[in-house]
Amino acid sequence: MLYISNPEQFKSLSGYEIDGVWYPRVTKIVEIKAKPALYRFYAEMNNFNEGEAIKKQSASEGTMIHEAVEKILVGESPEIEGIIKPAVEAFQKFLINKNIQVDKEFIEKQIVHLDERYAGTLDALALIDGKFGVLDIKTSQSIYRDYNLQTSAYIAALQNDFQNLQTRWILRIDQNQKCLKCGASKRTKGGREKIKANGAKNYKECDHEWSEMRGEIELKEFPYWQEDFHAFLGAKRLWEWENEKWLRMIGYI
Ligand SMILES: [Zn+2]
């Protein structure tokens, strides 16, 4: 947790300046929503700092995957670090098999909603199964409903410029090992191991025999975004309430 000490710091941590106008950032706004799973995560740690360290390392692995994937999407062949290789190679295969088309121009594209006053950076606009939409890439262990707030904000901001925008997807890229005996899976992220049963009943008694690390790709479409966008605007209102002091200082309100 970082405590903000001055307006300039608030501006750079919480938003973007576009054509001389400051806008709050989508990912910052959605942080206002409580994440109960995070309490559970911290409760499993020995202390707070251990949780912070794991989160930090896990985020940097996520960033590495993200960066590699973005380079691949714009047609580069980046050097892939060993630790993220299974995930990235699975992604490359998926891209080809699914025939996912992206426009280089719309990778890491900055978006802004002038009326609702927010900005963000979307991962990609893609053509998948004949549909054109917003593609957001995650490196989490599953697809959380919270992501829909973020992507609804992107799709809403693009409505005027792209009338052919039909949908949005979350593409989840991860890697894990599978027990060859019981079918449980083991995910190692941020230096922490987590075993999931995957329906295996006797996984606690099993003397696991782990497979090689293998990539895991999940693509999920969320075509109906309007309700999520209402919720996003609600979150934005709450975020503005919480940050009223700074927002006044910088002249946003
Ligand atoms: Zn096992």
Side-chain angles (χ1 to χ4, degrees):
M1 188 77 186
L2 184 69
Y3 291 95
I4 290 164
S5 59
N6 64 71
E8 281 314 307
Q9 190 189 18
F10 174 79
K11 278 172 96 169
S12 69
L13 283 174
S14 313
Y16 296 111
E17 200 146 317
I18 301 166
D19 298 329
V21 182
W22 183 87
Y23 298 92
R25 183 152 58 218
V26 170
T27 49
K28 211 68 202 171
I29 290 166
V30 299
E31 274 177 19
I32 197 75
K33 186 185 165 297
K35 291 167 193 67
L38 213 53
Y39 300 132
R40 190 177 287 272
F41 165 79
Y42 278 106
E44 286 168 3
M45 299 292 124
N46 292 309
N47 56 56
F48 180 74
N49 287 339
E50 185 186 31
E52 287 294 275
I54 288 173
K55 252 181 45 188
K56 203 173 157 194
Q57 199 192 322
S58 162
S60 95
E61 286 166 25
T63 306
M64 278 165 65
I65 294 177
H66 227 106
E67 283 173 355
V69 159
E70 246 131 46
K71 285 185 180 143
I72 291 163
L73 285 175
V74 297
E76 292 174 25
S77 317
E79 194 73 43
I80 313 292
E81 300 236 24
I83 186 170
I84 59 164
K85 224 172 202 157
V88 175
E89 286 177 354
F91 167 74
Q92 285 173 302
K93 264 190 206 145
F94 190 83
L95 208 57
I96 294 165
N97 291 342
K98 227 19 203 154
N99 190 25
I100 296 177
Q101 307 285 324
V102 293
D103 194 327
K104 277 182 207 179
E105 222 185 300
F106 304 121
I107 308 285
E108 283 281 295
K109 185 183 161 59
Q110 192 167 66
I111 57 98
V112 56
H113 197 307
L114 298 172
D115 295 335
E116 299 294 350
R117 292 206 294 168
Y118 62 81
T121 307
L122 57 84
D123 287 336
L125 292 182
L127 188 65
I128 306 174
D129 297 330
K131 281 178 272 188
F132 181 56
V134 167
L135 179 68
D136 203 63
I137 292 159
K138 299 292 182 196
T139 55
S140 48
Q141 60 178 324
S142 54
I143 292 178
Y144 301 108
R145 198 165 161 250
D146 288 23
Y147 299 155
N148 290 343
L149 295 178
Q150 186 189 345
T151 54
S152 74
Y154 296 156
I155 207 168
L158 293 164
Q159 287 304 297
N160 287 335
D161 292 341
F162 297 92
Q163 260 110 43
N164 53 343
L165 206 60
Q166 293 163 289
T167 192
R168 56 189 172 147
W169 301 271
I170 298 291
L171 177 68
R172 189 177 68 85
I173 306 175
D174 198 16
Q175 56 185 33
N176 56 43
Q177 290 164 280
K178 201 171 176 124
C179 175
L180 303 169
K181 290 182 187 163
C182 75
S185 67
K186 181 167 80 168
R187 184 173 187 259
T188 310
K189 208 170 183 203
R192 175 196 188 219
E193 288 185 351
K194 184 131 201 214
I195 294 172
K196 261 168 71 177
N198 284 337
K201 285 192 184 76
N202 60 339
Y203 84 104
K204 278 187 171 147
E205 289 89 59
C206 180
D207 183 14
H208 300 300
E209 192 185 314
W210 298 113
S211 73
E212 300 262 282
M213 192 66 82
R214 30 166 231 158
E216 189 187 19
I217 307 293
E218 182 183 6
L219 180 72
K220 216 166 166 184
E221 185 183 358
F222 298 93
Y224 308 106
W225 58 274
Q226 312 270 4
E227 280 306 307
D228 297 331
F229 187 54
H230 286 147
F232 170 78
L233 292 177
K236 179 167 185 275
R237 189 65 207 92
L238 184 60
W239 182 86
E240 286 166 348
W241 177 85
E242 183 162 271
N243 293 287
E244 191 185 338
K245 182 183 90 174
W246 297 116
L247 292 169
R248 277 191 197 289
M249 270 190 218
I250 65 170
Y252 175 88
I253 46 176

